[in-house]
Amino acid sequence: MGGAMNDLSSTPKPDGEQPKKQRKPDWIRVKAPVSKGYHETRKLMRDLSLNTVCEEAACPNIGECWDKKHATVMILGDVCTRACAFCNVKTGMPRIVDPMEPENVAIAAGQMGLNHIVITSVDRDDLPDGGADQFVKVIKALRRETPDTTIEILTPDFRGKMRAAVEKICEADPDVYNHNLETVPRLYPTIRPGARYYASLRLLEEVKSHDPLIFTKSGIMLGLGEQRLEVHQVMDDMRSADVDFITMGQYLQPTPKHAKVEDFVTPKAFAAYGSIARAKGFLQVASSPLTRSSYHAGDDFAVMKAAREERLAKERARQSA
């Protein structure tokens, strides 16, 4: 895997030694968004009072995605009840849930002509169901208004109310259920202090036990100080939970107040991680510096669906032989 892999990234620095600010390598730079399509998507989101994770999380792919009329809608407001060290979404006391939001999401999907839509949300620990009911309403509105659009949801962990929330959402029948593990277990106390690694893993298992036909997806960020074998272990944990699709991308520090980038993982190292993930049996793998949870999600869904059908056909052929 070469010396660029981050095996030693967690080695403590000698006392008094300040880490140098790292300059972004060429492979991580993207052009500023200026296209007509970008501005049209931005206006549509404003007109419908919708938030997007593309903007709130300062996604580097926003120019490319919005130009193609792809956007990841963030429901339940733009204020999160958690304060993760990697995330650029505002933290505080959220506002009341917008009753028009499900309908507006469906209108946006129709106007943008989306074949595949990704719906995510902030954490809403203040709500009795963690916001699960709003996910259900959005899925139902999309099924009603844009029945041909496939639906991918990216939910929080619904801390303390996970089982009921997952059951409710699975019954609404999304095509893909995504929940990100984000990083390796060792880094949770500093990177994702409000969450628990094994609780997130249980959520993914719960989705599959409730409905084995829903595709499950999860992702991690690299460059936070994780070690190579820890990443391999996360892959194994995901596979033991029967996760279908893994995404791996480079962590980028949104502001100086957020967790530092420990290292920039090379495209070659990402490719090596991707090869290992495929060997472990994932139906679909996305692994590159600019990979994000919903980047190229529609294309990836089609590939994943075809891969499952091919795997099932092989199993049927083997059984009848």
Side-chain angles (χ1 to χ4, degrees):
M1 296 218 180
M5 201 52 106
N6 41 346
D7 298 61
L8 303 176
S9 53
S10 301
T11 306
K13 305 267 190 300
D15 288 344
E17 184 184 321
Q18 291 299 313
K20 291 176 185 169
K21 183 162 173 58
Q22 286 180 291
R23 186 169 169 269
K24 279 185 192 172
D26 292 340
W27 65 75
I28 208 79
R29 293 180 194 171
V30 290
K31 291 178 182 172
V34 292
S35 71
K36 181 169 175 275
Y38 166 83
H39 289 294
E40 286 171 355
T41 300
R42 190 171 185 272
K43 183 178 184 302
L44 178 63
M45 294 299 147
R46 294 289 176 281
D47 290 348
L48 292 168
S49 303
L50 293 174
N51 300 299
T52 68
V53 77
C54 321
E55 288 179 288
E56 303 302 331
C59 179
N61 304 315
I62 188 169
E64 178 190 342
C65 292
W66 281 25
D67 182 44
K68 294 176 179 173
K69 299 288 200 295
H70 296 166
T72 299
V73 179
M74 190 171 78
I75 63 172
L76 294 164
D78 62 352
V79 179
C80 188
T81 53
R82 309 256 181 107
C84 295
F86 63 87
C87 184
N88 201 39
V89 174
K90 293 192 289 278
T91 302
M93 195 46 163
R95 290 188 287 274
I96 192 163
V97 176
D98 179 3
M100 291 306 297
E101 193 172 58
E103 204 58 43
N104 286 339
V105 171
I107 291 168
Q111 287 192 22
M112 292 167 77
L114 296 182
N115 296 318
H116 186 85
I117 188 168
V118 183
I119 309 295
T120 190
S121 81
V122 290
D123 276 287
R124 292 296 300 259
D125 297 312
D126 59 311
L127 298 174
D129 68 348
D133 195 47
Q134 190 78 337
F135 272 100
V136 171
K137 287 175 179 173
V138 170
I139 293 168
K140 286 181 175 175
L142 286 163
R143 294 282 187 231
R144 188 174 60 248
E145 300 297 329
T146 59
D148 295 331
T149 304
T150 47
I151 301 169
E152 178 172 329
I153 55 161
L154 169 55
T155 76
D157 62 7
F158 300 115
R159 187 172 62 197
K161 38 218 157 190
M162 181 269 286
R163 185 159 284 135
V166 166
E167 187 173 330
K168 189 186 285 189
I169 292 170
C170 285
E171 281 171 8
D173 198 26
D175 297 282
V176 182
Y177 195 123
N178 187 355
H179 175 66
N180 287 327
L181 295 182
E182 305 291 10
T183 189
V184 301
R186 177 176 56 82
L187 297 178
Y188 261 59
T190 51
I191 301 302
R192 206 176 170 218
R196 300 291 176 268
Y197 178 82
Y198 290 102
S200 283
L201 208 54
R202 274 200 303 277
L203 182 149
L204 291 160
E205 288 175 340
E206 191 72 24
V207 174
K208 279 293 189 187
S209 66
H210 194 80
D211 185 352
L213 293 179
I214 294 178
F215 288 98
T216 50
K217 178 174 173 181
S218 189
I220 58 168
M221 301 169 289
L222 301 183
L224 282 163
E226 68 290 329
Q227 296 176 6
R228 181 165 48 90
L229 293 180
E230 290 180 305
V231 177
H232 294 177
Q233 185 59 56
V234 170
M235 292 180 195
D236 288 337
D237 291 344
M238 285 188 191
R239 287 304 300 132
S240 71
D242 202 18
V243 170
D244 297 302
F245 183 0
I246 182 173
T247 60
M248 291 176 275
Q250 171 70 49
Y251 167 68
L252 297 174
Q253 186 184 28
T255 74
K257 294 178 183 176
H258 289 82
K260 288 184 172 62
V261 176
E262 293 295 330
D263 55 346
F264 286 104
V265 181
T266 65
K268 188 176 176 184
F270 270 107
Y273 274 137
S275 296
I276 289 163
R278 286 182 191 91
K280 289 181 184 292
F282 289 96
L283 286 176
Q284 175 66 336
V285 175
S287 179
S288 75
L290 287 173
T291 289
R292 295 295 180 266
S293 277
S294 14
Y295 190 42
H296 296 160
D299 295 339
D300 286 333
F301 173 69
V303 172
M304 182 165 55
K305 199 173 174 185
R308 177 188 278 177
E309 285 164 5
E310 186 182 340
R311 189 174 288 181
L312 289 171
K314 283 179 181 173
E315 283 175 17
R316 283 194 295 268
R318 201 163 45 242
Q319 286 165 5
S320 61

